[in-house]
């Protein structure tokens, strides 16, 4: 079940108790039976007024809000402040409850809304201090112009809140009103800025990989772990930037330069950190990192499960290869499915664009944030994908009562007190301790407080003394100017201005693609990316050794970019930015492995060979391409397995003639993905430590500290997985494709060896393991889909349920019926271009999705098309709650009106805001 929403996971006992109470409240409000809903007046009271006239404080002139048949607003104003003031008002009309929950997440104040079950989550978020950093950004870093826009936006939100009872703002407040005395506070500019910290957290890069590699040391050797994290396959999957190098004389990146074939400038082969040896001395840190991983599972992942799977597709094709003769640009970010969708579609238009009113922009933004994040203006279009730079490092700290050790000297902690207010309970106070690297995240677990007597560093460790802690250094915990960058992107008129805006897009680090009406295309990799004096960020570093400190950040001028590359197109889908073997700076060692990006490259090349041209429809078709790369490798071997069991043979026949596409009605896709899941479980999952395996996944294993043969003193023990299903391993993403690729050529490998059980013999070879996986998959699908294989379909396994971000994430019956929608049977899959992600360790349910899709027809803007995952409204019974989802599931796009005439033609409702 998707758990990555703005509410903490249902496994928290306090939260479950509170939700039970809320279920009872909802039942009372609903009346007798589902048909009663919440009561007509309760529901309709919160719906936005979309026609007529409203007087708004602080407006200086009339503003028009024009909504189309899907409720998507286009705002027209005469000055910039009125434009963003109206944006705040309109977003609050549609989505204020979502905005309110989100700001409580970023401030670590969920307990004020939902009670004591949220204290642990709030404690961790307060330790990170997102809100404190956002306040510092607003006070000290952001430009006066940006602060003016943020203030105008806040005024618009507060104008909507003025004189409204909570129940008149959203029906969820009617439920909260039965359980606590929660009162809505005015919106502030910092509430908007803080959202960027949550965005950066979910796109933070390889922190989970860093933890996982460390946890693996309890059961695996260094060579085995290296096999599970293979090098990026540059020979198979093209990086984003095909050429270019840093000019040593200028210190700037030159996109036209070619690095020598024999050059090897990377510093990435340095010592990684403090890996364990797999001995009993490691158990203290294993427990620390395992507990930290559990804490991370409990933090609301607002954008999606962090790790290899989360990403996006974006690509741009030059006019020389398009039917329009102008560039075409596509983007579809892959994020957690949420209800309402994370994205909010809108247009912001100055009636007359001038030096004093410069905005004429349309696209996707976040509720609670002014401006547009992804979209286009009258000259320029742009898209975003996650770059995946390594911007976080964990440090193992030697701590004592007076401070932490650095180069043999004790440094005092930086401390602060935090008070967590709890609805229906007493306040809780916590002390946040930080080192020179960052906050001690290990303080936020009672288990971690007891651990630290042992460290996985052998003789390199200082005197063990009191114990060890884990601190986090992260670029987003320093004030930055990403909010400035958003407004600059919205008004950029050429590539030079676009790059100038990108320079301030510090966190999260994103791949930015570009196209303009002059026919140019481009790419820029921005971000605050650390330079390490020692280590490569793949494992926790020894905090007591100052040589492991960051020495600075990669200068923006050295970051890779492209402008009108000869190949005529640019693809970014979370693959490597540039060949790390010839680029001097370490961006990360944990890229996405390039399956989606290479498929898009191949589709473009196949379409344009022999003079072919790409249309907008072709771009849309590419977005919904669902071919499985791992199937092209594994399926031919599966068909060669001699299967004697007639039931398994019946399933095997489904794979004959299969074209590797994963349509919702495909029985072959269902069976193949089940086989792939079982191959991973048998080969790797059952060999991983419990901290990485999914909850409920129990196996008999040899104790981690065992020596010698298994006997009465050293017998097998029952061990169950501990990780949330959405983030467990092996997740089946394209990292695992590269793990398996070379192994499939080996008939014998230690990974093919599995123990026997009551129904299966032990396996020692590849084909034996594949046969066992095919058998296990057959009976798994029999239990899930029935005995008759002709009734199987991938969509019946691979379902999307949209869940209201708070009250809809737990509780049976009335909550599910009133607030949630679905399920939808989907095609696509993990690491496909149509990336409807699922975690092979946890099940088949969809846990991340293309959260929106757009295809921009540059220069002929009104022929652009777009769609959102859900709809414009956050109100559960509004007609625009999920009115786009059916079309989204089918891969359809809607017309995207931009010009005044097109907007007027599409307008269904007009609201006038007047001073």
């Amino acid at each position: 079940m998707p758990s990555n929403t703005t509410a903490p996971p249902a496994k928290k006992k306090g939260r479950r108790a509170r939700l039970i109470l809320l279920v009872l409240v909802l039942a009372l409000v609903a009346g007798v039976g589902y048909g009663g809903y919440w009561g007509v007046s309760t529901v309709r009271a919160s719906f936005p007024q979309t026609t007529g006239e409203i007087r708004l404080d602080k407006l200086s002139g009339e503003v028009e809000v024009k909504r189309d048949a899907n409720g998507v607003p286009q705002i027209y104003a005469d000055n910039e402040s009125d434009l963003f003031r109206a944006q705040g008002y309109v977003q609050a009309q549609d989505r204020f409850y979502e905005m309110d929950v989100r700001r409580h997440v970023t401030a670590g104040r969920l307990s004020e809304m939902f009670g004591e079950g949220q204290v642990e989550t709030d404690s961790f978020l307060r330790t990170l201090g997102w809100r404190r950093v956002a306040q510092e950004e607003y006070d000290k870093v952001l430009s006066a112009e940006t602060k003016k826009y943020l203030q105008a936006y806040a005024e618009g939100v507060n104008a909507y809140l003025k004189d409204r009872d909570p129940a008149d703002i959203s029906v969820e407040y009617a439920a909260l009103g039965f359980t606590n005395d929660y009162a809505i506070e005015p919106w502030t500019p910092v509430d908007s800025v803080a959202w960027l910290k949550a965005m950066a957290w979910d796109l933070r890069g390889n922190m989970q990989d860093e933890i996982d590699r460390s946890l693996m040391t309890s059961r695996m050797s260094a060579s085995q772990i290296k096999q599970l994290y293979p090098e990026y396959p540059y020979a198979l999957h093209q990086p984003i930037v095909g050429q270019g190098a840093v000019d040593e004389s200028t210190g700037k990146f030159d996109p036209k330069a070619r690095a020598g074939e024999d050059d090897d400038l990377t510093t990435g082969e340095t010592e990684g950190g403090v890996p364990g040896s797999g001995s009993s001395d490691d158990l203290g840190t294993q427990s620390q990192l395992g507990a930290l991983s559990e804490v991370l599972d409990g933090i609301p992942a607002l954008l999606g499960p962090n790790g290899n799977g989360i990403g996006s597709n974006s690509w741009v094709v030059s006019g020389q290869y398009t039917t329009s003769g102008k560039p075409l640009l596509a983007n579809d970010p892959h994020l957690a499915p949420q209800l309402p969708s994370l994205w909010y579609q809108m247009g912001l238009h100055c009636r007359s664009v001038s030096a004093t009113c410069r905005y004429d922009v349309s696209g996707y933004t976040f509720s609670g944030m002014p401006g547009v994040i992804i979209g286009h203006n009258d000259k320029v279009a742009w898209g975003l994908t996650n770059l995946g730079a390594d911007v976080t490092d964990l440090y193992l700290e030697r701590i004592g009562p007076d401070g932490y050790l650095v180069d043999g000297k004790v440094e005092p902690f930086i401390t602060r007190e935090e008070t967590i207010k709890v609805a229906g309970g007493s306040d809780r106070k916590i002390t946040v301790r930080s080192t020179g690297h960052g906050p001690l995240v290990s303080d936020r677990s009672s288990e971690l407080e007891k651990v630290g007597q042992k460290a996985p560093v052998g003789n390199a460790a200082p005197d063990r003394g009191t114990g060890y802690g884990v601190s986090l250094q992260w670029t987003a915990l320093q004030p930055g100017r990403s909010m400035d960058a958003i407004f600059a992107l919205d008004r950029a008129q050429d590539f030079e201005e676009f790059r100038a805006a990108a320079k301030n897009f510090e966190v999260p680090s994103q791949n930015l693609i570009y196209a303009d009406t002059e026919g140019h295309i481009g790419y820029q990799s921005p971000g605050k990316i650390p330079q390490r004096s020692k280590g490569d960020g793949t494992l926790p570093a020894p905090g007591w050794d100052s040589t492991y400190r960051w020495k600075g950040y990669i200068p923006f001028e050295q970051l890779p970019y492209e402008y009108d590359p000869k190949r005529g197109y640019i693809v970014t889908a979370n693959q490597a930015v540039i060949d790390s073997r010839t680029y001097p700076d370490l961006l990360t060692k944990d890229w996405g492995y390039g399956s989606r990006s290479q498929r898009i490259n191949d589709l473009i090349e196949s379409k344009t060979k022999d003079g072919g041209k790409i249309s907008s429809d072709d771009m849309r078709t590419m977005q919904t391409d669902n071919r499985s790369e791992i199937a092209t490798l594994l399926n031919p071997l599966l068909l060669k397995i001699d299967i004697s069991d007639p039931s398994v043979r019946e399933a095997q026949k489904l794979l004959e003639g299969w074209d590797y596409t994963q349509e919702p009605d495909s029985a072959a896709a269902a069976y193949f993905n089940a086989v792939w899941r079982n191959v991973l479980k048998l080969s790797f999952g059952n060999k991983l430590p419990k901290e990485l395996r999914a909850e409920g996944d129990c196996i008999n294993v040899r104790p981690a500290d065992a020596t010698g043969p298994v006997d009465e003193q050293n017998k097998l023990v029952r061990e169950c997985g501990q990780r949330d299903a959405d983030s467990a391993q092996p997740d089946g993403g394209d990292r695992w494709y590269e793990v398996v690729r070379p192994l499939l050529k080996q008939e014998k490998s230690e990974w093919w060896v599995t123990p026997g059980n009551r129904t299966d013999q032990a396996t020692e070879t590849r084909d034996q393991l594949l046969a066992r996986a095919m058998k296990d998959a057959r009976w798994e699908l029999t239990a899930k889909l029935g005995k008759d294989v002709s009734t199987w379909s991938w969509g019946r396994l691979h379902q999307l349920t949209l869940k209201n971000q708070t009250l809809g994430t737990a509780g049976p019956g009335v909550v599910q019926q009133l607030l949630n929608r679905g399920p939808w049977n989907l095609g696509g899959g993990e690491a496909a271009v149509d990336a409807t992600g699922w975690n092979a360790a946890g099940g088949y349910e969809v846990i991340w999705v293309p959260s929106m899709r757009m295809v921009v027809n540059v220069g002929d803007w009104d022929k652009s098309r777009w769609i959102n995952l859900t709809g414009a409204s956050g109100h559960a019974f509004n007609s625009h709650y999920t009115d786009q989802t059916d079309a989204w599931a089918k891969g359809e796009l809607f017309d995207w009106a931009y010009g005044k005439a097109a907007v007027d033609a599409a307008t269904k409702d007009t609201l006038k805001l007047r001073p």
Side-chain angles (χ1 to χ4, degrees), residues 719-784:
E719 187 181 86
C720 295
Q722 297 179 346
R723 184 162 291 180
D724 196 62
D726 289 356
S727 57
Q729 292 293 335
D731 61 18
D734 60 359
R735 170 164 70 88
W736 294 97
Y737 296 3
E738 300 312 313
V739 172
V740 169
R741 190 188 299 274
L743 292 176
L744 291 177
K745 300 175 183 178
Q746 303 173 31
E747 180 61 26
K748 289 193 174 182
S749 164
E750 63 181 329
W751 299 109
W752 301 136
V753 177
T754 64
N757 55 38
R758 288 177 296 178
T759 58
D760 293 288
Q761 291 184 339
T763 68
E764 296 182 353
T765 68
R766 178 197 65 196
D767 288 355
Q768 288 174 352
L769 186 139
L770 294 182
R772 183 165 162 182
M774 292 172 74
K775 175 186 175 183
D776 290 352
R778 177 19 158 154
W779 299 119
E780 181 187 2
L781 294 199
T782 297
K784 292 180 181 294

Side-chain angles (χ1 to χ4, degrees), residues 462-590:
D463 176 43
R464 298 187 184 279
T466 306
Y468 290 83
V470 178
S471 66
L472 169 66
Q473 187 164 12
W474 176 33
T475 55
L477 297 184
Q478 303 169 31
R481 297 187 60 189
S482 295
M483 199 74 232
D484 286 342
I486 290 169
F487 294 112
L489 283 174
D490 284 357
R491 58 178 186 261
Q493 296 291 288
D494 55 34
F495 193 60
E496 183 178 354
E497 291 183 5
F498 178 80
R499 291 194 70 214
K503 184 174 184 178
N504 288 328
F505 209 127
E506 296 171 333
V507 290
S509 185
Q510 298 287 288
N511 296 307
L512 288 167
I513 62 166
Y514 167 95
D516 65 32
T517 54
E518 298 299 315
H520 301 294
I521 64 173
Y523 162 81
Q524 178 67 57
S525 54
K528 183 181 283 187
I529 303 171
Q531 294 175 313
R532 295 168 177 83
S533 300
K534 190 176 182 180
D536 61 10
T538 59
L539 289 165
W544 53 83
D545 185 345
S546 65
T547 63
Y548 282 85
R549 286 178 176 169
W550 293 356
K551 62 182 180 181
Y553 302 94
I554 301 173
F556 177 77
E557 291 75 17
Q558 281 184 211
L559 292 172
Y561 75 96
E562 284 192 319
Y563 187 59
D564 290 337
K566 289 183 179 179
R567 66 183 176 278
Y569 59 88
I570 302 169
V571 175
T572 80
N574 318 112
Q575 78 272 40
V577 169
I578 192 169
D579 194 327
S580 64
R581 297 169 296 183
T582 57
Y583 182 71
D585 289 299
L586 178 64
L587 300 176
T588 185
K589 300 199 83 174
D590 289 303

Side-chain angles (χ1 to χ4, degrees), residues 35 60 123 176 194 250 258 273 308 410 445 456 499 608 640 664 678 696 886:
S60 60
S123 297
L176 289 178
T250 64
R258 287 188 177 274
N308 182 250
V410 175
S445 167
R499 291 194 70 214
T608 57
K640 292 179 181 179
N678 281 279
D886 285 343

Side-chain angles (χ1 to χ4, degrees), residues 369-645:
M369 184 182 294
V372 166
I373 310 298
I374 296 173
H376 71 83
N377 58 35
D378 63 327
K379 296 291 186 183
V380 166
W382 67 95
L384 303 181
T385 63
N386 193 28
L387 191 147
D390 185 358
V391 296
T392 59
D393 275 345
L394 294 172
Y395 286 86
L396 187 65
E397 306 279 9
R398 160 67 172 89
I399 61 175
D402 300 320
Y404 61 100
L405 196 67
V406 180
D407 296 338
K409 297 181 180 180
V410 175
E411 299 286 344
F413 294 114
I414 303 165
T415 64
R416 68 177 190 272
E417 300 293 324
E418 295 275 353
T419 300
I420 299 172
K421 297 183 182 299
V422 182
S426 57
D427 293 352
R428 309 291 177 85
K429 293 185 181 295
I430 63 169
T431 299
V432 176
R433 300 188 297 175
S434 296
T435 72
H437 299 114
L440 272 174
V441 290
S442 55
D443 279 354
R444 298 284 72 87
S445 167
S446 58
E447 180 180 355
L448 295 181
E449 291 174 4
K450 304 173 184 176
V451 184
Q453 298 302 316
K454 299 178 180 180
V457 289
N459 295 331
D463 176 43
R464 298 187 184 279
T466 306
Y468 290 83
V470 178
S471 66
L472 169 66
Q473 187 164 12
W474 176 33
T475 55
L477 297 184
Q478 303 169 31
R481 297 187 60 189
S482 295
M483 199 74 232
D484 286 342
I486 290 169
F487 294 112
L489 283 174
D490 284 357
R491 58 178 186 261
Q493 296 291 288
D494 55 34
F495 193 60
E496 183 178 354
E497 291 183 5
F498 178 80
R499 291 194 70 214
K503 184 174 184 178
N504 288 328
F505 209 127
E506 296 171 333
V507 290
S509 185
Q510 298 287 288
N511 296 307
L512 288 167
I513 62 166
Y514 167 95
D516 65 32
T517 54
E518 298 299 315
H520 301 294
I521 64 173
Y523 162 81
Q524 178 67 57
S525 54
K528 183 181 283 187
I529 303 171
Q531 294 175 313
R532 295 168 177 83
S533 300
K534 190 176 182 180
D536 61 10
T538 59
L539 289 165
W544 53 83
D545 185 345
S546 65
T547 63
Y548 282 85
R549 286 178 176 169
W550 293 356
K551 62 182 180 181
Y553 302 94
I554 301 173
F556 177 77
E557 291 75 17
Q558 281 184 211
L559 292 172
Y561 75 96
E562 284 192 319
Y563 187 59
D564 290 337
K566 289 183 179 179
R567 66 183 176 278
Y569 59 88
I570 302 169
V571 175
T572 80
N574 318 112
Q575 78 272 40
V577 169
I578 192 169
D579 194 327
S580 64
R581 297 169 296 183
T582 57
Y583 182 71
D585 289 299
L586 178 64
L587 300 176
T588 185
K589 300 199 83 174
D590 289 303
W591 300 111
Y593 280 76
S595 290
R596 283 181 288 109
S597 62
Q598 192 57 47
R599 177 61 174 166
I600 297 167
N601 273 297
D602 292 345
L603 289 170
I604 294 172
E605 290 175 8
S606 66
K607 189 69 180 177
T608 57
K609 68 179 181 181
D610 301 325
K613 301 288 187 179
I614 293 175
S615 68
S616 292
D617 282 342
D618 292 328
M619 299 284 275
R620 182 197 64 80
T621 300
M622 291 178 194
Q623 286 182 325
T624 56
D625 181 87
N626 57 32
R627 181 176 178 269
S628 169
E629 180 182 357
I630 189 60
T632 68
L633 301 175
L634 186 56
N635 199 61
L637 293 175
L638 299 178
L639 291 174
K640 292 179 181 179
I641 303 292
D642 185 12
I643 300 294
S644 58
D645 185 317

